[in-house]
Amino acid sequence: MSDSKPEIAFVKPALPRAGALVLPLTEGTALVGLAAELDAATSGAITRGIEASGFTGRKGQSTTLFAPGGGIGRVLLLGLGKPDAQTPESVEAAGGTLWPGIASASDVLVAADTMPPAMAAHLAFGVALRGWRFDKYRTTEKPEDKPKADKVSIATSAVPAAKAAWVPLKAVAEGIFVTRELVSEPPNILTPVEMAERCKPLAKLGLEIEILGPKEMKKLGFGALLGVAQGSAVEPRMVVLRWNGARKKGGQPVCFVGKGVTFDTGGISIKPAAGMEDMKWDMAGAGCVVGLMAALAGRKARVDAVGLVGLVENMPSGNAQRPGDVVTSASGQTIEVINTDAEGRLVLADVLWYAQKQFAPKYIVDLATLTGAIIIALGHEHAGLFSNDDALSQKLLAAGTVTGEALWRMPLGEAYDKQIKSDIADMKNVGGRPGGSITAAQFIQRFIEDDIPWAHLDIAGTAWSTKDTALVPKGATAYGVRLLDRMVADHDEDA
Amino acid sequence: MSLGLPRLRLRFDPPKPGRTTVLPLAAAPPATPAAEAAGFAGQSGQAVRLSLPGFPDLVLAGAGAGQPLDWERAGGEAMALLLAEAMTPAAEPSPINLLRARPAVSRPLRRIALDLRALPAAAAMAVATGAALRAWQPPVHRREAPPKPPRLILHVAEEEAMAPAFIRMLAILRGVALARDLVTEPANLLTPKHFAARLRRLRRFGVGVEVFGRSALQAAGAGAILAVGRAAANPPRLVVLRWGDTTADPVVFIGKGMTFDTGGISIKPALHMEEMRADMAGAAAAAGAILTLALRNSPAAAVAVLALAENMPGADAWRPGDIIRTLSGRSVETIDTDAEGRMILADALAWAVREFTPAALVDLATLTGSIVTALGHHRAGLFGNDPPLLAMIAAAGELVGDSVWPMPIAAEHEEALKSDIADLRQCSSGSLQPDACHAAAFLRHFAEGIPWAHLDIAGVETREEASWQGPAGATGFGVRLLDALTAARFEAPDQTT
């Protein structure tokens, strides 16, 4: 196991005699169910604790009462907010918020007996997402520093209904963990070859996996991608993951494409040393696509979907691509490489072209940690959305709002496209500092056929988090998996 | 007050035979064999100069689909072509030399006829606007004065709407020209004091002008403007321009007017620092808009509050780490003295909130490099707290060609302004900061909940190369947007906010 995460179980409500009990409470509501039982069993200790701590049930509030009686080690009071403002997403956030308060406890029971069983499943989803931990390379950590809550039981009045609601959520969580693990892995371990290997076991979910190496890509004319890869000792790969879940056969698949630069030194246009270690997550777009495909297959989504990832390592070497090189992409368009550190768009150019030619998709969404400029534009809360299609953009923006994986639309236009004109080739791969993320998107758009709805998500600011958030421990966020899973669920699945 | 604009005249007769004539045409198959030979089909952006019998010097300019900006572009492209070789042909061309003839040139081009007789008033004035703004000349400081721009004679149809449209256009042209003129002036000739003196001249157009100097700013407690301007030998000014009914709740334009920005103690690199003479483009645009409203006798009540200062390093300069008490009463922890624009705007906003009951606040500022990285040179960043106001501004911008793009103020941006020691941090330090968003989050505090929009116009206040919209240099961005916004939202008798 390379990661640790709490096992989730659904159980009938019964007051435990030991361990930790979580009481999720809405604002201004009397204690009922297990909470009321415990209050009675402890002669009002819970009521007194609520009064003494000033706990009101406000959203995000949490208070721990230790040894309230009845053998229970601790009670965590968890604020859910107003009773009429409970949504699956708000309950998920509450589930994430409770994790730090119970991580050090064993035998954890969450009293979700007062909420509908489906909500109990969403609460579990939040616990699972926040409780995940990348542990593979910790060998000397003291046992007392490790989380002990390896199993979290959710008490619900309707166990089968909660379990049924949990099945698809668990599949999405597993997909997110696939992404987080890939993104967290260090670059000496997760090379393009290794990342392709890690896709293979996903076949057991029902995904068709196809892996292309340099020979096949050369035959397909992937001059842009291969140019990036040529400086590395590790071969590039392209992985195609197909999920055929639609009941109606023969429809157009939805298509997702990810940038997978397993490490980006910048190549000959080498990056400054400070912070370069972050470039292990320059494959987060590809990581998201792989996790998303695992999620769709895992929950047996009724959709035909295809995910493609271009996997390369960008290294300086005696055989590396140079600034000034001209490469010919699979589309036939030529590219003057001005800056070898603008390599993501070169990888995407060939993979996107192949995706359109091979699969004639209904729409295509690409994800890439593409530009520093998007961080200077928007920061870390919103990813940049660039699209040739208003309807697709609206769907993405809506899914982003619901899942909390927010997007902000950015402009495209002819005036920006002019910035990537080359004197010697069809285009150059950088357009200067002004509008840097926009010109990158313009570059990609040149490889998109006019009639294909396309969106490009620049996730450079959102793929990695330097602090814990409700659902995401510090590190790989798996940004995009929930967003795109949600969009597919809302718009693309058969009835 | 020519402000570098060509002189314009309205006429209802046909162009004089033989005069250099511009004929704008919407997209259509070529009208004449000559046009066909020149490949002219009226696409937007297309302009050709021909010699035909009876028309020795004719410019055909394409207006494509015939949208207002297409007509404007036709005028601009035609003018660009004529300015490239601003001479008139000597005589009728010989039949041999019919096409694209460049007959022996004789004299500089003094008059250009715009043949607009086939166009309705709006389209006709759009062509003239494009031509006039392209022909605009920046104020230059050479020993020999350059020739004046050629006169434009507008030959139009006899239509009732024509004369009012002409007056309105002149008002807009002069507002834009004022802004361009001010932006072009170098910082030694346009200090805060000179800027204020230039603005006093607006009184003759019925604009109320009040100028507040250092002692008035001290008395008011405008600590931010005073800190930013402290080290400069040219002290700061705050100028209030008023147009219209002084009892009504006005729309208030706020302008950043750094007449020069060295960055102060957080000094800028030397390369391209000269461009910082344009760091007062927000104030220039606000002043230009007020002039336009006055010249076209707008029924709106409008105010401009302009913060004018020079940011210099000096022995008594404001320092990173300094805590500044702003006019609003909020304390601000200085992180970077080159983030001075948001400081002077904070006081200007507070002034507007204190002195008026604004129906809306719209500030314009060449505020951040971040917005240039985000949106480049083709769109300004639009931030604010009032979605209907923002939608109106975006629409007004599209209408007149001052394009903007909505940008977010997110929770993380507000979070970045938390200070350990003051009410607000001025900005965030470190690389890869969304500074444009941080600046907007900062300014939002000073709008005090009043409908407010902030236009970060860094990157669009000047253009590097001449285009159909004007010569290289100052663009006057924002004047037309504010005018169109005022017309759309603040002139109706039942205006709501």
Side-chain angles (χ1 to χ4, degrees):
Chain A
M1 285 298 284
S2 55
D3 51 11
S4 75
K5 59 199 176 212
E7 189 192 323
I8 302 289
F10 292 91
V11 299
K12 282 187 188 161
L15 214 50
R17 305 210 166 175
L21 180 63
V22 180
L23 301 179
L25 300 169
T26 50
E27 235 170 306
T29 321
L31 297 180
V32 290
L34 279 180
E37 275 182 50
L38 179 64
D39 199 37
T42 58
S43 335
I46 305 304
T47 302
R48 287 196 301 278
I50 286 174
E51 276 168 17
S53 64
F55 178 86
T56 60
R58 191 162 38 79
K59 197 169 162 184
Q61 205 179 12
S62 73
T63 301
T64 304
L65 310 175
F66 287 100
I72 290 178
R74 70 175 93 166
V75 167
L76 181 76
L77 305 172
L78 180 70
L80 296 176
K82 300 240 164 18
D84 54 354
Q86 301 301 305
T87 64
E89 291 72 29
S90 76
V91 171
E92 285 167 12
T97 308
L98 73 84
W99 173 258
I102 54 145
S104 62
S106 41
D107 296 333
V108 179
L109 181 70
V110 182
D113 55 326
T114 56
M115 48 176 86
M119 285 297 214
H122 283 285
L123 189 76
F125 187 60
V127 175
L129 290 188
R130 179 63 186 275
W132 177 90
R133 191 167 184 255
F134 188 69
D135 259 358
K136 188 174 177 182
Y137 301 106
R138 298 177 206 265
T139 63
T140 60
E141 194 177 34
K142 292 177 192 147
E144 62 264 34
D145 292 340
K146 287 188 189 294
K148 282 188 208 57
D150 49 5
K151 183 174 172 184
V152 174
S153 300
I154 315 282
T156 169
S157 45
V159 172
K163 276 186 176 165
W166 171 239
V167 170
L169 290 173
K170 182 170 193 263
V172 175
E174 293 294 341
I176 289 169
F177 299 152
V178 167
T179 302
R180 285 190 190 163
E181 184 176 325
L182 290 170
V183 176
S184 301
E185 283 283 14
N188 58 331
I189 303 296
L190 196 84
T191 61
V193 171
E194 172 65 13
M195 185 159 167
E197 285 302 310
R198 300 243 185 137
C199 292
K200 283 182 181 168
L202 299 176
K204 67 174 186 289
L205 296 171
L207 286 169
E208 289 171 22
I209 315 279
E210 187 190 355
I211 298 175
L212 285 76
K215 227 165 77 188
E216 293 89 346
M217 288 193 269
K218 199 168 175 192
K219 211 177 282 175
L220 289 166
F222 277 24
L225 183 150
L226 292 170
V228 178
Q230 80 188 30
S232 171
V234 188
E235 283 187 357
R237 292 285 184 268
M238 179 172 76
V239 184
V240 183
L241 306 100
R242 300 198 66 180
W243 167 247
N244 298 312
R247 301 227 171 120
K248 230 196 297 173
K249 294 297 160 200
Q252 287 178 290
V254 298
C255 179
F256 305 99
V257 170
K259 167 187 170 182
V261 179
T262 61
F263 194 75
D264 180 16
T265 63
I268 294 297
S269 313
I270 199 162
K271 291 177 187 287
M276 204 203 273
E277 68 281 5
D278 283 349
M279 286 302 107
K280 75 171 184 181
W281 49 260
D282 207 20
M283 39 56 70
C288 171
V289 168
V290 174
L292 171 69
M293 294 305 293
L296 294 175
R299 69 174 179 81
K300 303 204 174 356
R302 292 190 296 270
V303 66
D304 290 341
V306 53
L308 300 97
V309 295
L311 308 174
V312 299
E313 185 180 45
N314 189 19
M315 296 293 271
S317 76
N319 190 38
Q321 173 160 274
R322 290 150 292 249
D325 283 4
V326 173
V327 295
T328 303
S329 68
S331 73
Q333 297 179 92
T334 56
I335 303 158
E336 183 184 11
V337 178
I338 300 294
N339 185 326
T340 65
D341 194 18
E343 83 299 333
R345 62 201 75 179
L346 297 169
V347 173
L348 288 172
D350 281 342
V351 179
L352 282 165
W353 184 256
Y354 178 82
Q356 293 165 89
K357 290 292 148 195
Q358 195 72 11
F359 302 109
K362 177 175 155 191
Y363 63 72
I364 198 160
V365 178
D366 77 72
L367 299 100
T369 48
L370 204 63
T371 65
I374 202 67
I375 305 174
I376 295 172
L378 299 175
H380 300 282
E381 203 166 311
H382 295 89
L385 163 64
F386 301 82
S387 179
N388 63 2
D389 190 90
D390 289 343
L392 178 61
S393 296
Q394 284 309 318
K395 290 174 190 171
L396 283 162
L397 288 164
T401 304
V402 170
T403 58
E405 295 188 339
L407 287 166
W408 192 269
R409 193 160 182 194
M410 295 286 285
L412 291 167
E414 201 185 322
Y416 296 107
D417 193 66
K418 283 190 183 143
Q419 289 178 232
I420 54 170
K421 273 190 180 165
S422 163
D423 292 337
I424 180 174
D426 294 331
M427 70 198 86
K428 53 185 180 181
N429 76 331
V430 284
R433 182 179 77 95
S437 304
I438 304 173
T439 55
Q442 294 290 160
F443 180 97
I444 294 170
Q445 191 177 12
R446 289 190 177 209
F447 299 88
I448 301 293
E449 305 212 69
D450 287 341
D451 54 349
I452 294 191
W454 154 78
H456 156 61
L457 313 188
D458 193 336
I459 60 170
T462 54
W464 190 265
S465 176
T466 54
K467 53 178 192 273
D468 293 336
T469 62
L471 294 179
V472 183
K474 185 173 135 173
T477 61
Y479 178 99
V481 176
R482 293 174 61 226
L483 167 79
L484 296 174
D485 175 71
R486 179 67 186 229
M487 182 178 75
V488 169
D490 285 350
H491 299 288
D492 299 310
E493 298 196 42
D494 294 350
Chain B
M1 199 170 70
S2 85
L3 294 169
L5 284 168
R7 294 176 67 175
L8 293 101
R9 284 186 61 195
L10 200 60
R11 292 184 69 105
F12 298 105
D13 56 355
K16 204 170 135 186
R19 172 163 294 165
T20 296
T21 300
V22 172
L23 180 62
L25 294 166
T32 65
E36 184 166 8
F40 180 83
Q43 291 108 329
S44 184
Q46 209 183 9
V48 295
R49 195 170 179 180
L50 306 169
S51 269
L52 299 177
F55 299 97
D57 192 17
L58 178 68
V59 174
L60 300 179
Q67 296 297 308
L69 283 179
D70 293 329
W71 289 113
E72 194 172 317
R73 181 166 183 189
E77 298 280 8
M79 186 54 63
L81 193 64
L82 286 167
L83 291 174
E85 198 174 323
M87 295 290 180
T88 46
E92 291 276 308
S94 70
I96 311 158
N97 187 17
L98 193 68
L99 262 179
R100 296 175 187 256
R102 288 281 182 274
V105 290
S106 63
R107 55 188 200 283
L109 193 54
R110 296 234 182 270
R111 286 182 184 78
I112 297 169
L114 305 182
D115 189 351
L116 311 171
R117 289 172 296 160
L119 300 179
M125 292 309 129
V127 175
T129 300
L133 288 178
R134 181 62 187 83
W136 172 83
Q137 287 179 351
V140 293
H141 303 274
R142 294 193 215 282
R143 196 153 54 171
E144 263 180 69
K148 287 187 176 154
R151 291 183 181 196
L152 302 181
I153 298 139
L154 283 49
H155 298 270
V156 297
E158 280 197 61
E159 195 185 301
E160 219 172 296
M162 210 57 84
F166 181 66
I167 289 167
R168 188 185 182 99
M169 175 188 70
L170 287 180
I172 290 170
L173 291 177
R174 293 173 82 175
V176 173
L178 173 63
R180 285 184 179 180
D181 197 280
L182 290 166
V183 170
T184 309
E185 286 293 5
N188 58 331
L189 301 181
L190 193 83
T191 62
K193 187 175 156 186
H194 291 123
F195 198 152
R198 289 283 302 264
L199 295 172
R200 277 202 187 92
R201 291 192 221 161
L202 298 181
R203 282 180 181 150
R204 80 175 93 149
F205 304 107
V207 174
V209 183
E210 288 171 282
V211 178
F212 302 91
R214 187 177 264 165
S215 55
L217 293 170
Q218 268 160 355
I225 297 180
L226 289 166
V228 170
R230 195 165 76 203
N234 299 299
R237 296 277 188 279
L238 185 132
V239 178
V240 176
L241 308 177
R242 296 181 200 228
W243 170 253
D245 182 358
T246 47
T247 61
D249 295 351
V251 55
V252 182
F253 310 143
I254 312 282
K256 170 184 171 184
M258 295 305 301
T259 59
F260 197 75
D261 178 18
T262 63
I265 294 298
S266 312
I267 200 162
K268 292 177 187 286
L271 189 67
H272 302 312
M273 204 204 272
E274 73 283 0
E275 292 174 2
M276 285 301 113
R277 71 176 181 192
D279 207 21
M280 33 54 72
I290 293 285
L291 174 61
T292 294
L293 297 180
L295 289 174
R296 69 175 179 79
N297 202 17
S298 161
V303 168
V305 179
L306 313 176
L308 312 178
E310 190 177 353
N311 188 17
M312 296 292 269
D316 186 32
W318 167 52
R319 288 158 290 251
D322 284 2
I323 305 256
I324 305 301
R325 179 76 59 182
T326 62
L327 180 57
S328 73
R330 286 183 188 81
S331 60
V332 175
E333 180 187 5
T334 310
I335 303 300
D336 183 331
T337 63
D338 195 17
E340 84 300 330
R342 67 199 71 181
M343 300 293 286
I344 64 168
L345 287 171
D347 274 0
L349 283 164
W351 192 286
V353 171
R354 199 183 67 173
E355 295 295 316
F356 305 99
T357 321
L361 298 160
V362 182
D363 80 65
L364 293 94
T366 47
L367 206 61
T368 66
S370 153
I371 204 68
V372 184
T373 300
L375 297 175
H377 297 297
H378 310 299
R379 287 180 184 274
L382 172 64
F383 301 83
N385 62 2
D386 187 63
L389 176 66
L390 298 183
M392 294 286 270
I393 289 178
E398 279 316 298
L399 190 69
V400 300
D402 284 349
S403 293
V404 302
W405 189 262
M407 293 290 286
I409 303 176
E412 62 162 330
H413 303 137
E414 188 57 52
E415 191 71 21
L417 302 176
K418 282 198 176 151
S419 167
D420 294 335
I421 182 171
D423 293 328
L424 283 171
R425 251 165 97 89
Q426 170 213 26
C427 61
S428 214
S429 51
S431 60
L432 293 184
Q433 295 293 339
D435 188 46
C437 302
H438 290 165
F442 179 86
L443 292 176
R444 183 168 61 178
H445 288 273
F446 300 88
E448 312 292 353
I450 293 167
W452 157 78
H454 157 57
L455 288 153
D456 193 339
I457 62 170
V460 296
E461 82 283 20
T462 56
R463 63 172 70 85
E464 262 177 44
E465 289 171 13
S467 80
W468 63 268
Q469 294 164 297
T475 60
F477 187 101
V479 174
R480 298 174 69 190
L481 182 152
L482 292 177
D483 174 62
L485 172 73
T486 306
R489 179 153 172 179
F490 300 104
E491 291 186 350
D494 59 340
Q495 60 169 271
T496 49
T497 52

